Amino acid sequence: RNKRLVPSLPENEDVCPNDAIYVLHSPQSGIIMAALRLTRSKHNSEYCFLRSLCVSREHRRHGLALRLLNESVKDFEAGYCYCFASPHLESLYQQASFLRIPKGDMDHLPKWLFHSYQSMDGRWR
């Protein structure tokens, strides 16, 4: 397996003790090819949020994001996983079995996530 958990992060108010970072290294060079960060909800441990996912430019379009996403979400063992997807990445998340929530159905989200969405939505405008 090429995934590794980084057990701790520098002290930062944005870092939650419920965070996990998964990293995919090149078996030949040890170079980081992809990484993602998941956060377990402090309100309900069954929920997690994908905070970030990145793949190095030279390793894109090889299925690494999908592989890392599938393995890490499974390993993290949350019942529900959410992310705020950029439109050009929606197909990636749909391949990983994420379901798109129409804007009109946002009130069905957990409250903590709905408030985060409203905050982010305001920043993107």
Side-chain angles (χ1 to χ4, degrees), residues 13-59:
E13 61 187 57
D14 289 341
V15 177
C16 175
N18 296 327
D19 284 4
I21 296 178
Y22 293 84
V23 179
L24 190 61
H25 292 268
S26 166
Q28 293 83 15
S29 66
I31 292 173
I32 294 174
M33 299 184 299
L36 67 74
R37 178 179 170 192
L38 293 171
T39 299
R40 191 172 308 280
S41 168
K42 61 185 173 190
H43 305 284
N44 183 336
S45 64
E46 279 294 304
Y47 292 89
C48 79
F49 183 73
L50 174 63
R51 293 182 64 104
S52 58
L53 169 62
C54 57
V55 177
S56 66
R57 289 190 193 279
E58 58 271 14
H59 295 101

mmCIF file of all heavy atoms in Angstrom, residues 13-59:
data_model
loop_
_atom_site.group_PDB
_atom_site.id
_atom_site.type_symbol
_atom_site.label_atom_id
_atom_site.label_comp_id
_atom_site.label_asym_id
_atom_site.label_seq_id
_atom_site.Cartn_x
_atom_site.Cartn_y
_atom_site.Cartn_z
ATOM 1 N N GLU A 13 -5.177 27.078 14.411
ATOM 2 C CA GLU A 13 -6.594 27.076 14.758
ATOM 3 C C GLU A 13 -7.455 26.437 13.682
ATOM 4 O O GLU A 13 -8.575 26.033 13.939
ATOM 5 C CB GLU A 13 -7.077 28.482 15.082
ATOM 6 C CG GLU A 13 -6.947 29.465 13.946
ATOM 7 C CD GLU A 13 -7.274 30.878 14.392
ATOM 8 O OE1 GLU A 13 -6.644 31.372 15.326
ATOM 9 O OE2 GLU A 13 -8.178 31.464 13.785
ATOM 10 N N ASP A 14 -6.935 26.293 12.440
ATOM 11 C CA ASP A 14 -7.693 25.634 11.384
ATOM 12 C C ASP A 14 -7.577 24.118 11.451
ATOM 13 O O ASP A 14 -8.294 23.412 10.773
ATOM 14 C CB ASP A 14 -7.208 26.093 10.003
ATOM 15 C CG ASP A 14 -7.600 27.529 9.709
ATOM 16 O OD1 ASP A 14 -8.521 28.043 10.376
ATOM 17 O OD2 ASP A 14 -6.988 28.133 8.822
ATOM 18 N N VAL A 15 -6.652 23.608 12.235
ATOM 19 C CA VAL A 15 -6.426 22.176 12.315
ATOM 20 C C VAL A 15 -7.263 21.601 13.446
ATOM 21 O O VAL A 15 -7.232 22.066 14.564
ATOM 22 C CB VAL A 15 -4.935 21.870 12.540
ATOM 23 C CG1 VAL A 15 -4.728 20.382 12.704
ATOM 24 C CG2 VAL A 15 -4.116 22.396 11.377
ATOM 25 N N CYS A 16 -7.988 20.579 13.133
ATOM 26 C CA CYS A 16 -8.866 19.925 14.087
ATOM 27 C C CYS A 16 -8.222 18.614 14.529
ATOM 28 O O CYS A 16 -7.603 17.930 13.717
ATOM 29 C CB CYS A 16 -10.193 19.657 13.379
ATOM 30 S SG CYS A 16 -11.368 18.732 14.335
ATOM 31 N N PRO A 17 -8.364 18.238 15.792
ATOM 32 C CA PRO A 17 -7.784 16.962 16.221
ATOM 33 C C PRO A 17 -8.434 15.767 15.529
ATOM 34 O O PRO A 17 -7.918 14.664 15.595
ATOM 35 C CB PRO A 17 -8.046 16.939 17.728
ATOM 36 C CG PRO A 17 -9.108 17.933 17.972
ATOM 37 C CD PRO A 17 -9.025 18.950 16.882
ATOM 38 N N ASN A 18 -9.546 16.007 14.845
ATOM 39 C CA ASN A 18 -10.231 14.941 14.121
ATOM 40 C C ASN A 18 -9.801 14.855 12.664
ATOM 41 O O ASN A 18 -10.448 14.201 11.868
ATOM 42 C CB ASN A 18 -11.740 15.150 14.200
ATOM 43 C CG ASN A 18 -12.257 15.051 15.613
ATOM 44 O OD1 ASN A 18 -11.741 14.288 16.416
ATOM 45 N ND2 ASN A 18 -13.261 15.834 15.930
ATOM 46 N N ASP A 19 -8.728 15.552 12.286
ATOM 47 C CA ASP A 19 -8.238 15.547 10.912
ATOM 48 C C ASP A 19 -7.323 14.352 10.649
ATOM 49 O O ASP A 19 -6.627 13.889 11.550
ATOM 50 C CB ASP A 19 -7.427 16.811 10.611
ATOM 51 C CG ASP A 19 -8.291 18.030 10.399
ATOM 52 O OD1 ASP A 19 -9.514 17.936 10.562
ATOM 53 O OD2 ASP A 19 -7.726 19.080 10.066
ATOM 54 N N ALA A 20 -7.341 13.899 9.424
ATOM 55 C CA ALA A 20 -6.395 12.884 8.967
ATOM 56 C C ALA A 20 -5.917 13.308 7.585
ATOM 57 O O ALA A 20 -6.710 13.760 6.758
ATOM 58 C CB ALA A 20 -7.048 11.511 8.910
ATOM 59 N N ILE A 21 -4.642 13.171 7.354
ATOM 60 C CA ILE A 21 -4.066 13.470 6.043
ATOM 61 C C ILE A 21 -3.534 12.165 5.461
ATOM 62 O O ILE A 21 -2.783 11.446 6.131
ATOM 63 C CB ILE A 21 -2.948 14.512 6.148
ATOM 64 C CG1 ILE A 21 -3.520 15.839 6.642
ATOM 65 C CG2 ILE A 21 -2.254 14.696 4.794
ATOM 66 C CD1 ILE A 21 -2.510 16.930 6.833
ATOM 67 N N TYR A 22 -3.940 11.884 4.252
ATOM 68 C CA TYR A 22 -3.491 10.694 3.543
ATOM 69 C C TYR A 22 -2.594 11.144 2.400
ATOM 70 O O TYR A 22 -2.912 12.105 1.706
ATOM 71 C CB TYR A 22 -4.686 9.912 3.000
ATOM 72 C CG TYR A 22 -5.540 9.312 4.088
ATOM 73 C CD1 TYR A 22 -6.534 10.053 4.712
ATOM 74 C CD2 TYR A 22 -5.336 8.001 4.498
ATOM 75 C CE1 TYR A 22 -7.315 9.509 5.719
ATOM 76 C CE2 TYR A 22 -6.121 7.446 5.502
ATOM 77 C CZ TYR A 22 -7.101 8.205 6.106
ATOM 78 O OH TYR A 22 -7.866 7.652 7.098
ATOM 79 N N VAL A 23 -1.491 10.436 2.220
ATOM 80 C CA VAL A 23 -0.501 10.812 1.216
ATOM 81 C C VAL A 23 -0.184 9.601 0.364
ATOM 82 O O VAL A 23 0.013 8.493 0.884
ATOM 83 C CB VAL A 23 0.788 11.338 1.896
ATOM 84 C CG1 VAL A 23 1.829 11.707 0.862
ATOM 85 C CG2 VAL A 23 0.480 12.520 2.796
ATOM 86 N N LEU A 24 -0.100 9.816 -0.943
ATOM 87 C CA LEU A 24 0.281 8.769 -1.876
ATOM 88 C C LEU A 24 1.674 9.103 -2.399
ATOM 89 O O LEU A 24 1.865 10.141 -3.030
ATOM 90 C CB LEU A 24 -0.737 8.715 -3.027
ATOM 91 C CG LEU A 24 -0.656 7.547 -3.984
ATOM 92 C CD1 LEU A 24 -0.873 6.225 -3.256
ATOM 93 C CD2 LEU A 24 -1.687 7.695 -5.080
ATOM 94 N N HIS A 25 2.648 8.244 -2.095
ATOM 95 C CA HIS A 25 4.034 8.456 -2.496
ATOM 96 C C HIS A 25 4.367 7.609 -3.716
ATOM 97 O O HIS A 25 3.824 6.521 -3.886
ATOM 98 C CB HIS A 25 4.995 8.011 -1.387
ATOM 99 C CG HIS A 25 4.951 8.849 -0.166
ATOM 100 N ND1 HIS A 25 5.766 9.927 0.031
ATOM 101 C CD2 HIS A 25 4.181 8.759 0.945
ATOM 102 C CE1 HIS A 25 5.516 10.463 1.202
ATOM 103 N NE2 HIS A 25 4.544 9.774 1.779
ATOM 104 N N SER A 26 5.303 8.070 -4.524
ATOM 105 C CA SER A 26 5.833 7.268 -5.624
ATOM 106 C C SER A 26 6.676 6.139 -5.028
ATOM 107 O O SER A 26 7.562 6.401 -4.217
ATOM 108 C CB SER A 26 6.708 8.133 -6.529
ATOM 109 O OG SER A 26 7.474 7.315 -7.386
ATOM 110 N N PRO A 27 6.426 4.898 -5.434
ATOM 111 C CA PRO A 27 7.220 3.798 -4.892
ATOM 112 C C PRO A 27 8.698 3.881 -5.318
ATOM 113 O O PRO A 27 9.570 3.423 -4.598
ATOM 114 C CB PRO A 27 6.568 2.539 -5.452
ATOM 115 C CG PRO A 27 5.501 2.959 -6.374
ATOM 116 C CD PRO A 27 5.361 4.446 -6.322
ATOM 117 N N GLN A 28 8.965 4.495 -6.456
ATOM 118 C CA GLN A 28 10.340 4.590 -6.934
ATOM 119 C C GLN A 28 11.116 5.714 -6.259
ATOM 120 O O GLN A 28 12.231 5.520 -5.790
ATOM 121 C CB GLN A 28 10.395 4.812 -8.463
ATOM 122 C CG GLN A 28 9.900 3.644 -9.292
ATOM 123 C CD GLN A 28 8.383 3.637 -9.435
ATOM 124 O OE1 GLN A 28 7.696 4.616 -9.172
ATOM 125 N NE2 GLN A 28 7.852 2.488 -9.845
ATOM 126 N N SER A 29 10.524 6.900 -6.201
ATOM 127 C CA SER A 29 11.268 8.067 -5.737
ATOM 128 C C SER A 29 10.876 8.544 -4.338
ATOM 129 O O SER A 29 11.608 9.321 -3.732
ATOM 130 C CB SER A 29 11.069 9.231 -6.715
ATOM 131 O OG SER A 29 9.714 9.641 -6.693
ATOM 132 N N GLY A 30 9.733 8.106 -3.842
ATOM 133 C CA GLY A 30 9.256 8.584 -2.555
ATOM 134 C C GLY A 30 8.611 9.952 -2.625
ATOM 135 O O GLY A 30 8.153 10.493 -1.616
ATOM 136 N N ILE A 31 8.540 10.535 -3.808
ATOM 137 C CA ILE A 31 7.933 11.855 -4.002
ATOM 138 C C ILE A 31 6.431 11.765 -3.766
ATOM 139 O O ILE A 31 5.776 10.800 -4.154
ATOM 140 C CB ILE A 31 8.222 12.386 -5.426
ATOM 141 C CG1 ILE A 31 9.705 12.688 -5.569
ATOM 142 C CG2 ILE A 31 7.376 13.600 -5.752
ATOM 143 C CD1 ILE A 31 10.112 13.057 -6.983
ATOM 144 N N ILE A 32 5.882 12.788 -3.120
ATOM 145 C CA ILE A 32 4.435 12.838 -2.904
ATOM 146 C C ILE A 32 3.750 13.104 -4.241
ATOM 147 O O ILE A 32 4.038 14.089 -4.909
ATOM 148 C CB ILE A 32 4.063 13.926 -1.880
ATOM 149 C CG1 ILE A 32 4.622 13.564 -0.504
ATOM 150 C CG2 ILE A 32 2.536 14.107 -1.823
ATOM 151 C CD1 ILE A 32 4.421 14.638 0.539
ATOM 152 N N MET A 33 2.849 12.203 -4.609
ATOM 153 C CA MET A 33 2.099 12.351 -5.854
ATOM 154 C C MET A 33 0.718 12.949 -5.604
ATOM 155 O O MET A 33 0.193 13.668 -6.438
ATOM 156 C CB MET A 33 1.962 10.995 -6.544
ATOM 157 C CG MET A 33 3.286 10.351 -6.916
ATOM 158 S SD MET A 33 3.091 8.799 -7.840
ATOM 159 C CE MET A 33 2.211 7.773 -6.685
ATOM 160 N N ALA A 34 0.122 12.626 -4.457
ATOM 161 C CA ALA A 34 -1.223 13.101 -4.135
ATOM 162 C C ALA A 34 -1.407 13.104 -2.629
ATOM 163 O O ALA A 34 -0.756 12.338 -1.911
ATOM 164 C CB ALA A 34 -2.273 12.205 -4.791
ATOM 165 N N ALA A 35 -2.307 13.975 -2.172
ATOM 166 C CA ALA A 35 -2.616 14.053 -0.740
ATOM 167 C C ALA A 35 -4.033 14.554 -0.566
ATOM 168 O O ALA A 35 -4.562 15.267 -1.428
ATOM 169 C CB ALA A 35 -1.636 14.981 -0.032
ATOM 170 N N LEU A 36 -4.647 14.167 0.536
ATOM 171 C CA LEU A 36 -5.958 14.702 0.872
ATOM 172 C C LEU A 36 -6.097 14.803 2.378
ATOM 173 O O LEU A 36 -5.366 14.167 3.131
ATOM 174 C CB LEU A 36 -7.102 13.906 0.246
ATOM 175 C CG LEU A 36 -7.404 12.479 0.658
ATOM 176 C CD1 LEU A 36 -8.060 12.400 2.022
ATOM 177 C CD2 LEU A 36 -8.343 11.871 -0.358
ATOM 178 N N ARG A 37 -7.048 15.631 2.781
ATOM 179 C CA ARG A 37 -7.300 15.870 4.203
ATOM 180 C C ARG A 37 -8.781 15.670 4.489
ATOM 181 O O ARG A 37 -9.637 16.268 3.838
ATOM 182 C CB ARG A 37 -6.880 17.288 4.564
ATOM 183 C CG ARG A 37 -7.140 17.692 5.996
ATOM 184 C CD ARG A 37 -6.643 19.107 6.209
ATOM 185 N NE ARG A 37 -7.066 19.651 7.486
ATOM 186 C CZ ARG A 37 -6.954 20.924 7.813
ATOM 187 N NH1 ARG A 37 -6.423 21.791 6.962
ATOM 188 N NH2 ARG A 37 -7.349 21.345 8.975
ATOM 189 N N LEU A 38 -9.069 14.818 5.449
ATOM 190 C CA LEU A 38 -10.434 14.563 5.900
ATOM 191 C C LEU A 38 -10.584 15.059 7.330
ATOM 192 O O LEU A 38 -9.642 14.961 8.127
ATOM 193 C CB LEU A 38 -10.747 13.066 5.872
ATOM 194 C CG LEU A 38 -10.806 12.389 4.509
ATOM 195 C CD1 LEU A 38 -10.909 10.882 4.679
ATOM 196 C CD2 LEU A 38 -11.965 12.909 3.698
ATOM 197 N N THR A 39 -11.754 15.572 7.646
ATOM 198 C CA THR A 39 -12.064 16.021 8.995
ATOM 199 C C THR A 39 -13.341 15.344 9.462
ATOM 200 O O THR A 39 -14.345 15.360 8.759
ATOM 201 C CB THR A 39 -12.280 17.545 9.034
ATOM 202 O OG1 THR A 39 -11.086 18.190 8.621
ATOM 203 C CG2 THR A 39 -12.645 18.019 10.419
ATOM 204 N N ARG A 40 -13.270 14.751 10.640
ATOM 205 C CA ARG A 40 -14.470 14.165 11.237
ATOM 206 C C ARG A 40 -15.237 15.283 11.939
ATOM 207 O O ARG A 40 -14.642 16.134 12.603
ATOM 208 C CB ARG A 40 -14.088 13.083 12.237
ATOM 209 C CG ARG A 40 -15.262 12.248 12.689
ATOM 210 C CD ARG A 40 -14.832 11.063 13.539
ATOM 211 N NE ARG A 40 -13.800 10.240 12.945
ATOM 212 C CZ ARG A 40 -13.987 9.299 12.015
ATOM 213 N NH1 ARG A 40 -15.198 9.087 11.538
ATOM 214 N NH2 ARG A 40 -12.983 8.585 11.552
ATOM 215 N N SER A 41 -16.529 15.290 11.794
ATOM 216 C CA SER A 41 -17.350 16.315 12.431
ATOM 217 C C SER A 41 -17.239 16.223 13.947
ATOM 218 O O SER A 41 -17.326 15.138 14.520
ATOM 219 C CB SER A 41 -18.813 16.141 12.024
ATOM 220 O OG SER A 41 -19.638 16.945 12.824
ATOM 221 N N LYS A 42 -17.063 17.374 14.586
ATOM 222 C CA LYS A 42 -17.056 17.388 16.046
ATOM 223 C C LYS A 42 -18.475 17.276 16.600
ATOM 224 O O LYS A 42 -18.669 17.032 17.782
ATOM 225 C CB LYS A 42 -16.358 18.636 16.569
ATOM 226 C CG LYS A 42 -16.999 19.932 16.173
ATOM 227 C CD LYS A 42 -16.173 21.107 16.626
ATOM 228 C CE LYS A 42 -16.752 22.393 16.068
ATOM 229 N NZ LYS A 42 -15.881 23.519 16.278
ATOM 230 N N HIS A 43 -19.478 17.395 15.714
ATOM 231 C CA HIS A 43 -20.879 17.320 16.130
ATOM 232 C C HIS A 43 -21.422 15.894 16.070
ATOM 233 O O HIS A 43 -22.306 15.538 16.835
ATOM 234 C CB HIS A 43 -21.749 18.224 15.257
ATOM 235 C CG HIS A 43 -21.275 19.643 15.237
ATOM 236 N ND1 HIS A 43 -21.478 20.502 16.279
ATOM 237 C CD2 HIS A 43 -20.573 20.332 14.308
ATOM 238 C CE1 HIS A 43 -20.935 21.671 16.003
ATOM 239 N NE2 HIS A 43 -20.382 21.590 14.809
ATOM 240 N N ASN A 44 -20.889 15.119 15.125
ATOM 241 C CA ASN A 44 -21.367 13.748 14.949
ATOM 242 C C ASN A 44 -20.267 12.965 14.240
ATOM 243 O O ASN A 44 -19.941 13.248 13.085
ATOM 244 C CB ASN A 44 -22.656 13.747 14.130
ATOM 245 C CG ASN A 44 -23.248 12.367 13.960
ATOM 246 O OD1 ASN A 44 -22.559 11.351 14.038
ATOM 247 N ND2 ASN A 44 -24.544 12.314 13.701
ATOM 248 N N SER A 45 -19.713 11.974 14.895
ATOM 249 C CA SER A 45 -18.565 11.236 14.352
ATOM 250 C C SER A 45 -18.896 10.411 13.112
ATOM 251 O O SER A 45 -17.992 9.920 12.438
ATOM 252 C CB SER A 45 -17.953 10.343 15.420
ATOM 253 O OG SER A 45 -18.880 9.355 15.829
ATOM 254 N N GLU A 46 -20.168 10.257 12.793
ATOM 255 C CA GLU A 46 -20.549 9.541 11.574
ATOM 256 C C GLU A 46 -20.307 10.373 10.313
ATOM 257 O O GLU A 46 -20.338 9.849 9.210
ATOM 258 C CB GLU A 46 -22.034 9.150 11.634
ATOM 259 C CG GLU A 46 -22.289 7.909 12.444
ATOM 260 C CD GLU A 46 -21.690 6.669 11.801
ATOM 261 O OE1 GLU A 46 -22.005 6.368 10.640
ATOM 262 O OE2 GLU A 46 -20.885 6.015 12.480
ATOM 263 N N TYR A 47 -20.072 11.678 10.467
ATOM 264 C CA TYR A 47 -19.915 12.579 9.331
ATOM 265 C C TYR A 47 -18.468 13.026 9.193
ATOM 266 O O TYR A 47 -17.803 13.326 10.187
ATOM 267 C CB TYR A 47 -20.790 13.824 9.501
ATOM 268 C CG TYR A 47 -22.267 13.527 9.419
ATOM 269 C CD1 TYR A 47 -22.981 13.178 10.555
ATOM 270 C CD2 TYR A 47 -22.936 13.603 8.207
ATOM 271 C CE1 TYR A 47 -24.341 12.907 10.492
ATOM 272 C CE2 TYR A 47 -24.291 13.339 8.133
ATOM 273 C CZ TYR A 47 -24.985 12.986 9.275
ATOM 274 O OH TYR A 47 -26.326 12.715 9.195
ATOM 275 N N CYS A 48 -18.016 13.085 7.947
ATOM 276 C CA CYS A 48 -16.701 13.660 7.689
ATOM 277 C C CYS A 48 -16.798 14.610 6.499
ATOM 278 O O CYS A 48 -17.770 14.590 5.745
ATOM 279 C CB CYS A 48 -15.644 12.588 7.467
ATOM 280 S SG CYS A 48 -15.597 11.816 5.851
ATOM 281 N N PHE A 49 -15.774 15.418 6.380
ATOM 282 C CA PHE A 49 -15.730 16.411 5.316
ATOM 283 C C PHE A 49 -14.371 16.344 4.651
ATOM 284 O O PHE A 49 -13.341 16.330 5.321
ATOM 285 C CB PHE A 49 -15.970 17.810 5.910
ATOM 286 C CG PHE A 49 -16.011 18.882 4.869
ATOM 287 C CD1 PHE A 49 -17.101 19.002 4.030
ATOM 288 C CD2 PHE A 49 -14.954 19.760 4.726
ATOM 289 C CE1 PHE A 49 -17.142 19.987 3.057
ATOM 290 C CE2 PHE A 49 -14.987 20.747 3.766
ATOM 291 C CZ PHE A 49 -16.083 20.863 2.928
ATOM 292 N N LEU A 50 -14.366 16.271 3.331
ATOM 293 C CA LEU A 50 -13.127 16.309 2.551
ATOM 294 C C LEU A 50 -12.715 17.765 2.427
ATOM 295 O O LEU A 50 -13.358 18.536 1.726
ATOM 296 C CB LEU A 50 -13.347 15.686 1.175
ATOM 297 C CG LEU A 50 -12.185 15.775 0.200
ATOM 298 C CD1 LEU A 50 -10.972 15.013 0.714
ATOM 299 C CD2 LEU A 50 -12.605 15.264 -1.165
ATOM 300 N N ARG A 51 -11.665 18.145 3.132
ATOM 301 C CA ARG A 51 -11.233 19.546 3.155
ATOM 302 C C ARG A 51 -10.358 19.903 1.970
ATOM 303 O O ARG A 51 -10.362 21.029 1.503
ATOM 304 C CB ARG A 51 -10.492 19.840 4.451
ATOM 305 C CG ARG A 51 -11.403 19.757 5.653
ATOM 306 C CD ARG A 51 -10.662 20.093 6.909
ATOM 307 N NE ARG A 51 -10.205 21.460 6.900
ATOM 308 C CZ ARG A 51 -10.752 22.450 7.571
ATOM 309 N NH1 ARG A 51 -11.802 22.220 8.308
ATOM 310 N NH2 ARG A 51 -10.256 23.660 7.540
ATOM 311 N N SER A 52 -9.561 18.944 1.508
ATOM 312 C CA SER A 52 -8.699 19.235 0.361
ATOM 313 C C SER A 52 -8.242 17.941 -0.284
ATOM 314 O O SER A 52 -8.134 16.899 0.370
ATOM 315 C CB SER A 52 -7.484 20.075 0.788
ATOM 316 O OG SER A 52 -6.741 19.401 1.773
ATOM 317 N N LEU A 53 -7.991 18.029 -1.571
ATOM 318 C CA LEU A 53 -7.460 16.924 -2.357
ATOM 319 C C LEU A 53 -6.583 17.542 -3.420
ATOM 320 O O LEU A 53 -7.018 18.440 -4.146
ATOM 321 C CB LEU A 53 -8.602 16.127 -3.006
ATOM 322 C CG LEU A 53 -8.235 15.089 -4.066
ATOM 323 C CD1 LEU A 53 -7.355 13.999 -3.485
ATOM 324 C CD2 LEU A 53 -9.490 14.492 -4.671
ATOM 325 N N CYS A 54 -5.332 17.100 -3.502
ATOM 326 C CA CYS A 54 -4.450 17.646 -4.539
ATOM 327 C C CYS A 54 -3.578 16.535 -5.109
ATOM 328 O O CYS A 54 -3.196 15.591 -4.414
ATOM 329 C CB CYS A 54 -3.599 18.795 -3.997
ATOM 330 S SG CYS A 54 -2.592 18.363 -2.595
ATOM 331 N N VAL A 55 -3.310 16.662 -6.389
ATOM 332 C CA VAL A 55 -2.435 15.738 -7.111
ATOM 333 C C VAL A 55 -1.409 16.594 -7.834
ATOM 334 O O VAL A 55 -1.766 17.599 -8.457
ATOM 335 C CB VAL A 55 -3.235 14.878 -8.123
ATOM 336 C CG1 VAL A 55 -2.325 13.970 -8.923
ATOM 337 C CG2 VAL A 55 -4.320 14.077 -7.414
ATOM 338 N N SER A 56 -0.142 16.199 -7.761
ATOM 339 C CA SER A 56 0.903 16.980 -8.437
ATOM 340 C C SER A 56 0.632 16.987 -9.941
ATOM 341 O O SER A 56 0.094 16.030 -10.496
ATOM 342 C CB SER A 56 2.285 16.407 -8.138
ATOM 343 O OG SER A 56 2.422 15.127 -8.706
ATOM 344 N N ARG A 57 0.986 18.078 -10.578
ATOM 345 C CA ARG A 57 0.682 18.247 -12.012
ATOM 346 C C ARG A 57 1.162 17.079 -12.864
ATOM 347 O O ARG A 57 0.445 16.610 -13.742
ATOM 348 C CB ARG A 57 1.310 19.535 -12.535
ATOM 349 C CG ARG A 57 0.644 20.777 -12.033
ATOM 350 C CD ARG A 57 1.179 22.008 -12.789
ATOM 351 N NE ARG A 57 0.788 23.236 -12.137
ATOM 352 C CZ ARG A 57 -0.390 23.808 -12.279
ATOM 353 N NH1 ARG A 57 -1.293 23.260 -13.028
ATOM 354 N NH2 ARG A 57 -0.663 24.935 -11.643
ATOM 355 N N GLU A 58 2.363 16.615 -12.610
ATOM 356 C CA GLU A 58 2.916 15.539 -13.454
ATOM 357 C C GLU A 58 2.267 14.181 -13.208
ATOM 358 O O GLU A 58 2.464 13.257 -13.987
ATOM 359 C CB GLU A 58 4.439 15.445 -13.307
ATOM 360 C CG GLU A 58 4.937 15.211 -11.908
ATOM 361 C CD GLU A 58 5.182 16.487 -11.123
ATOM 362 O OE1 GLU A 58 4.747 17.586 -11.521
ATOM 363 O OE2 GLU A 58 5.800 16.370 -10.065
ATOM 364 N N HIS A 59 1.457 14.058 -12.166
ATOM 365 C CA HIS A 59 0.802 12.777 -11.877
ATOM 366 C C HIS A 59 -0.708 12.816 -12.080
ATOM 367 O O HIS A 59 -1.400 11.861 -11.746
ATOM 368 C CB HIS A 59 1.145 12.339 -10.447
ATOM 369 C CG HIS A 59 2.585 12.042 -10.259
ATOM 370 N ND1 HIS A 59 3.452 12.928 -9.660
ATOM 371 C CD2 HIS A 59 3.324 10.985 -10.639
ATOM 372 C CE1 HIS A 59 4.660 12.399 -9.649
ATOM 373 N NE2 HIS A 59 4.608 11.234 -10.236
#
